């Protein structure tokens, strides 16, 4: 299994990255032997991965990082970087490699203080002598100050530093940054490719794999989660019942409250798993005895961690709501397909009775207005409108049609 096996339906991108990894390996080998480096190279110091949600932007970037750090002895016999088994590949893929730094948005933005240490590290030599890799998973969430910090690092990078930026579209990244990056566009994988991956990699039954791949419309991560997590399937089933529960004002408001509460519960459960351990680990690192007081002058570090955890809980709740909004959009898209007599395959075949009921009870125009209301809810959440207010406005609009 190579590192490229996780890139579902992205054969062209895999080929480009594999070629660049081979050239990068040749560069490192030449430097180690004092030989002249290759004249022509497909390797560069900054890359921008774009594509729709679920296409695998972060997976592609991490696979490339692993290939750059590959130390497989098979390469001496003609093997290519990215074996997937060596220590370099394994630690890069699981996020523990000393020379692969990952930056992701904890809250709504990546703050400059979150980037400062990473930018500083990008100017240091790699510990293992290969590459210093900086992976920014949510480049579209860089604010003005953090984006300027990245720009300065990308403009004048260290010789062995590689920046990997991931964003939904090229327009989400500052023109001055994207002009210095090699751009790779990922596409949404086909339903068949996602289903095949679930069967081969996760051992899912073919019928179940096909159903969840169709339900998520090629979103790899969501398909994997639906196939393997009963709680995720239960939450999706509850969301798909929402359109039938907004027939009166009281039902619409209750549905909104339950949707927001479910997202908050998701965030709380995730926080309970991570926050306590992070806090205890930090206190131990600061020299506090178990159950004892913190040393003088260290309270600020704990406060910074608590602020970060609070922002992460907000982001987790927002991500959960995003998934629910995507499921609702898919539901009404199926309703619209039935109303227009379209021959496209329905994504939500497990809710076909509800789809047909709503298709008969409304018009295509009202269905389009409902889809627009869901999109408006997402935009309101982007503007930091209180989740309950945004979702209540949406459910009332779904009721009105």
């Amino acid at each position: 299994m190579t590192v490229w096996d996780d890139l579902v339906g992205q054969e062209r991108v895999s080929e480009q990255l594999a070629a660049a990894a081979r050239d990068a390996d040749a560069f490192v080998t030449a430097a180690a032997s004092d030989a002249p480096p290759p004249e022509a190279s497909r390797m560069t110091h900054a890359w921008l991965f774009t594509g729709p949600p679920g296409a695998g932007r972060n997976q592609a970037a991490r696979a490339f990082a692993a290939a750059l750090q590959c130390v497989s002895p098979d390469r001496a016999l003609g093997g290519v970087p990215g074996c997937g088994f060596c220590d370099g590949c394994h630690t890069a893929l699981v996020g523990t490699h000393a020379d692969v730094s990952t930056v992701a948005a904890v809250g709504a933005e990546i703050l400059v203080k979150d980037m400062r240490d990473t930018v500083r590290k990008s100017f240091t030599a790699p510990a293992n002598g290969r590459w210093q890799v900086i992976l920014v998973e949510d480049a579209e969430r860089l604010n003005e100050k953090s984006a300027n910090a990245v720009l300065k690092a990308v403009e004048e990078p260290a010789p062995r530093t590689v920046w990997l930026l991931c964003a939904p579209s090229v327009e989400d990244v500052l023109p001055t940054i994207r002009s210095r990056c090699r751009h790779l566009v990922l596409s949404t994988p086909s339903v068949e490719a996602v289903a095949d991956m679930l069967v081969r990699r996760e051992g899912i039954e073919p019928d179940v794999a096909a159903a969840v791949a169709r339900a998520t419309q090629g979103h790899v991560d969501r398909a994997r989660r639906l196939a393997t997590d009963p709680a995720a399937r239960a939450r999706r089933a509850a969301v798909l019942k929402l359109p039938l529960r907004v027939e009166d004002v009281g039902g619409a408001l209750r549905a909104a409250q339950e949707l927001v509460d479910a997202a908050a519960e998701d965030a709380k459960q995730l926080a309970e798993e991570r926050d306590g351990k992070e806090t205890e680990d930090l206190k131990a690192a600061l020299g506090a005895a178990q159950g004892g007081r913190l040393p003088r002058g260290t309270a600020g570090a704990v406060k910074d961690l608590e602020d970060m955890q609070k922002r992460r809980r907000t982001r987790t709740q927002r991500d959960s709501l995003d998934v629910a909004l995507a499921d609702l959009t898919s539901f009404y898209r199926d309703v619209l397909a039935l109303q227009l007599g379209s021959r496209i395959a329905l994504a939500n075949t497990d809710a076909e009775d509800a789809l047909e009921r709503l298709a008969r009870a409304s018009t295509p125009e009202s269905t389009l207005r409902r889809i627009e209301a869901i999109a408006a809810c997402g935009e309101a959440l982007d503007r930091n409108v209180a989740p309950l207010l945004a979702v209540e406005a949406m459910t009332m609009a779904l009721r009105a049609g």
Side-chain angles (χ1 to χ4, degrees):
M1 182 190 73
T2 69
V3 296
W4 315 113
D5 289 346
D6 280 336
L7 306 190
V8 182
Q10 310 296 343
E11 289 77 11
R12 180 181 57 82
V13 170
S14 298
E15 291 173 2
Q16 290 177 279
L17 293 176
R22 287 194 296 270
D23 287 350
D25 188 59
F27 179 87
V28 172
T29 303
S33 61
D34 294 326
E39 293 184 3
S41 176
R42 285 157 290 192
M43 182 60 186
T44 188
H45 72 285
W47 298 76
L48 175 59
F49 298 80
T50 66
R57 300 184 301 262
N58 296 340
Q59 290 86 341
R62 190 164 293 281
F64 187 40
L68 293 177
Q69 306 294 7
C70 183
V71 292
S72 169
D74 293 343
R75 294 202 316 283
L77 303 175
V80 296
C83 67
F85 293 104
C86 70
D87 184 65
C89 285
H90 176 71
T91 53
L93 290 174
V94 300
T96 58
H97 197 289
D99 293 326
V100 179
S101 302
T102 302
V103 180
V106 176
E109 295 180 330
I110 298 178
L111 306 178
V112 67
K113 67 178 183 180
D114 298 329
M115 288 298 308
R116 198 169 286 133
D117 290 341
T118 303
V119 169
R120 190 179 300 116
K121 185 179 180 181
S122 75
F123 291 105
T124 64
N128 68 357
R130 295 191 64 80
W131 299 94
Q132 188 75 261
V133 181
I134 311 298
L135 169 56
V136 183
E137 292 188 344
D138 306 288
E140 76 278 10
R141 294 181 183 269
L142 290 165
N143 64 20
E144 183 179 358
K145 291 183 179 179
S146 57
N148 286 334
V150 171
L151 174 61
K152 292 177 182 178
V154 172
E155 280 180 326
E156 300 177 1
R160 292 284 187 87
T161 295
V162 182
W163 283 83
L164 309 178
L165 309 179
C166 303
S169 71
V170 68
E171 288 78 15
D172 291 316
V173 181
L174 282 179
T176 47
I177 292 179
R178 67 190 189 223
S179 65
R180 290 164 172 79
C181 299
R182 185 165 298 168
H183 184 204
L184 294 178
V185 182
L186 285 75
S187 57
T188 300
S190 68
V191 169
E192 292 75 17
V194 174
D196 179 66
M197 179 276 296
L198 292 174
V199 173
R200 288 186 296 104
R201 301 292 300 276
E202 307 293 339
I204 305 300
E205 291 295 325
D207 291 345
V208 176
V212 297
R214 187 168 55 249
T216 57
Q217 293 295 285
H219 193 300
V220 178
D221 290 338
R222 289 189 57 212
R224 182 184 286 114
R225 188 175 183 188
L226 273 183
T228 58
D229 185 358
R233 292 196 293 273
R235 283 193 293 272
R236 175 176 173 274
V239 169
L240 295 185
K241 292 177 181 176
L242 185 146
L244 300 179
R245 300 179 54 206
V246 296
E247 295 178 351
D248 57 70
V249 173
L253 297 180
R254 283 193 298 273
Q257 183 69 63
E258 290 172 11
L259 194 60
V260 173
D261 287 347
E265 184 62 26
D266 275 353
K268 179 182 176 182
Q269 289 179 359
L270 189 60
E272 288 175 348
E273 295 172 5
R274 297 189 297 190
D275 290 3
K277 185 177 186 304
E278 285 178 346
T279 302
E280 291 303 318
D281 288 347
L282 177 62
K283 290 181 177 179
L286 294 174
Q290 188 168 5
R293 285 188 173 186
L294 284 168
R296 182 175 297 177
T298 61
V302 176
K303 178 66 165 59
D304 288 343
L305 176 63
E306 291 172 347
D307 290 342
M308 183 276 290
Q309 290 171 342
K310 182 178 179 180
R311 286 189 287 132
R312 186 171 62 195
R313 284 193 294 271
T314 301
R315 170 73 189 275
T316 303
Q317 181 180 10
R318 171 61 205 278
D319 288 346
S320 182
L321 287 173
D322 280 344
V323 171
L325 296 183
D327 287 333
L328 282 173
T329 301
S330 172
F331 181 93
Y332 283 109
R333 166 224 181 240
D334 284 350
V335 171
L336 185 62
L338 290 175
Q339 290 172 328
L340 298 177
S342 172
R343 295 186 179 183
I344 62 172
L346 297 181
N348 302 286
T349 53
D350 50 340
E352 197 162 352
D353 290 344
L355 294 172
E356 291 178 350
R357 175 178 166 182
L358 284 181
R360 290 192 301 267
S362 61
T363 65
E365 292 78 12
S366 65
T367 302
L368 283 171
R369 286 194 293 270
R370 286 169 171 142
I371 292 174
E372 290 170 356
I374 298 170
C377 179
E379 293 170 1
L381 291 171
D382 282 338
R383 297 193 302 270
N384 291 324
V385 173
L388 184 57
L389 290 178
V391 176
E392 283 181 345
M394 179 193 72
T395 55
M396 293 299 289
L398 295 180
R399 173 182 174 272

